Amino acid sequence: MTPEPSSSSRPVTLEDVARVAGVSRATVSRVINGEATVDPRLRKLVDEAIARTRYVPNRAARSLVTRRTDSVALVVSEREQREVTGPFVGRIFSDPYFGRVVGGLLEVARPRGVQMVLLLADDEPSRTQLLGYLQQGHVDGVVLISSHADDPLPGLLARTALPAVLAGRPATPLSLTSVDADQRAGARLAAEHLAATGRRRVAAIAGPQDMTAARERLAGFLAAAKERGLAEVVWTEGDFTQASGTSGMQRLLGLRPDLDAVFVASDLMALGAVAALHRQGRRVPDDVAVVGFDDSSSALACDPPLTTVRQPVEEMAAEMARLLLRQIDTGERPLPSVVFHPELVIRQSG
């Protein structure tokens, strides 16, 4: 490499970077604009020169050339007027799942210099405003977290030209790329484990049954429990909050006081369920075994630590980011959807 520019008050230019890297200005421009055809050796030289010269790309000028904003939207869509504990925004930031998704997305987006914009939609006016914002070119693509089966937003998004990836499989077939875990298979693991450890009077706290993932978890658990010859499973519905896990466990104890195991469709609800069992003088797992779902921070915060079904949320979110950036780079969409396989993590709760 040639020597880097001497320190001065003027901004570093593409020509300065090219001179330090020993390449042409056009090569530097191609690297900065993210063109995939640049020779890896030359890309490395340019990246090193950018670091040495502390070159800061002119994002506005770059956008005129690439027609990109170097930002993507993380859209969280919630059911209109759902009966839940606490306001929409508060639930998002208190739910371990959301933080894990953001972490996985950033792991891939940040090294590419791509920023994330958080957008929320929970009624028709906010959806209309959201679609207008997205179609005006403010972002290059969308990762959509849609929580309920009758949400119109995935279908509306599929009809736009925007690159998009859906967190979780859609309730009906759509021309959208999605990333999910096999929810039904994960719940089957829970039922098989409880049966194998000798539990016979099993109950369940399901998630909201207007949500595809929650329905899949309950269906998988009930089917596997029946196959293993367990007594008819008594179940109740929660809303994926800790408080609903507590109230759900109280209902189940009233319906079936002799239960010896409970499957809870999220770790956060399981945290509430275990607290309710303790208050009723039930020992976990001696009297009642508890199996959760997610393997989130709530599983380790539980006393005793929670046996749970792990869905690799961070890895799933990273794959969402990779699929979205590939669509943005190539224009190819939708890409094939991806399904991850869950696994059972056995701890002290059952």
Side-chain angles (χ1 to χ4, degrees):
M1 285 190 182
T2 57
E4 59 190 271
S6 59
S7 176
S8 70
S9 60
R10 72 174 179 84
V12 178
T13 65
L14 285 180
E15 288 76 8
D16 294 328
V17 176
R19 187 165 54 254
V20 171
V23 300
S24 69
R25 183 188 186 282
T27 297
V28 174
S29 178
R30 289 167 61 211
V31 170
I32 290 172
N33 289 329
E35 294 187 20
T37 57
V38 180
D39 183 283
R41 183 183 62 85
L42 296 179
R43 184 182 302 278
K44 184 173 184 293
L45 290 173
V46 172
D47 287 341
E48 290 173 350
I50 288 172
R52 289 179 61 190
T53 59
R54 299 180 181 179
Y55 173 72
V56 178
N58 184 324
R59 293 291 180 186
R62 182 174 182 267
S63 293
L64 289 174
V65 175
T66 64
R67 298 183 181 275
R68 294 187 188 177
T69 64
D70 289 327
S71 63
V72 297
L74 172 57
V75 176
V76 182
S77 181
E78 175 61 283
R79 184 182 178 88
E80 191 170 352
Q81 297 180 343
R82 178 198 289 276
E83 293 182 4
V84 290
T85 307
F88 178 27
V89 174
R91 290 197 313 281
I92 290 173
F93 290 107
S94 63
D95 189 334
Y97 172 81
F98 181 75
R100 296 174 69 191
V101 168
V102 172
L105 293 172
L106 287 175
E107 181 183 333
V108 174
R110 184 178 290 163
R112 284 278 304 266
V114 175
Q115 303 299 315
M116 278 201 313
V117 180
L118 175 62
L119 302 172
L120 309 178
D122 61 350
D123 56 23
E124 185 174 353
S126 64
R127 283 192 293 269
T128 300
Q129 183 182 42
L130 170 71
L131 284 169
Y133 177 86
L134 296 176
Q135 292 179 303
Q136 287 168 14
H138 294 291
V139 296
D140 299 323
V142 180
V143 172
L144 173 61
I145 300 176
S146 175
S147 63
H148 59 280
D150 59 356
D151 184 357
L153 192 53
L156 294 170
L157 192 58
R159 291 195 286 272
T160 72
L162 274 169
V165 177
L166 181 63
R169 282 168 287 184
T172 57
L174 290 173
S175 58
L176 277 180
T177 302
S178 67
V179 175
D180 199 4
D182 190 332
Q183 309 291 337
R184 191 177 290 248
R188 291 183 67 89
L189 292 174
E192 290 165 359
H193 171 72
L194 291 172
T197 53
R199 308 290 173 160
R200 309 305 299 171
R201 300 176 301 281
V202 179
I205 302 175
Q209 291 302 287
D210 67 321
M211 295 178 63
T212 303
R215 288 205 307 264
E216 289 287 296
R217 292 176 195 180
L218 179 61
F221 185 80
L222 294 178
K226 184 176 181 179
E227 290 169 9
R228 297 307 182 276
L230 300 180
E232 184 176 353
V233 176
V234 176
W235 65 276
T236 187
E237 184 176 343
D239 62 17
F240 284 146
T241 63
Q242 184 173 341
S244 74
T246 299
S247 59
M249 192 70 251
Q250 291 167 343
R251 284 195 297 273
L252 290 177
L253 289 171
L255 292 168
R256 186 157 198 177
D258 64 340
L259 65 83
D260 64 3
V262 60
F263 166 62
V264 191
S266 81
D267 292 343
L268 194 58
M269 287 199 301
L271 200 60
V274 169
L277 287 168
H278 288 330
R279 283 199 289 271
Q280 293 293 322
R282 305 295 181 96
R283 296 170 299 167
V284 178
D286 304 69
D287 300 324
V288 181
V290 180
V291 177
F293 202 108
D294 284 332
D295 196 25
S296 68
S297 57
S298 297
L300 295 177
C302 192
D303 182 20
L306 195 63
T307 293
T308 186
V309 176
R310 180 178 188 269
Q311 57 171 345
V313 175
E314 290 85 356
E315 293 94 325
M316 291 161 62
E319 183 66 11
M320 290 180 225
R322 282 189 288 268
L323 289 169
L324 182 62
L325 292 177
R326 181 177 159 194
Q327 290 181 57
I328 293 169
D329 289 341
T330 67
E332 181 186 356
R333 55 185 176 269
L335 296 171
S337 295
V338 176
V339 178
F340 284 75
H341 297 289
E343 59 180 312
L344 186 70
V345 179
I346 299 175
R347 297 193 180 96
Q348 287 74 53
S349 71

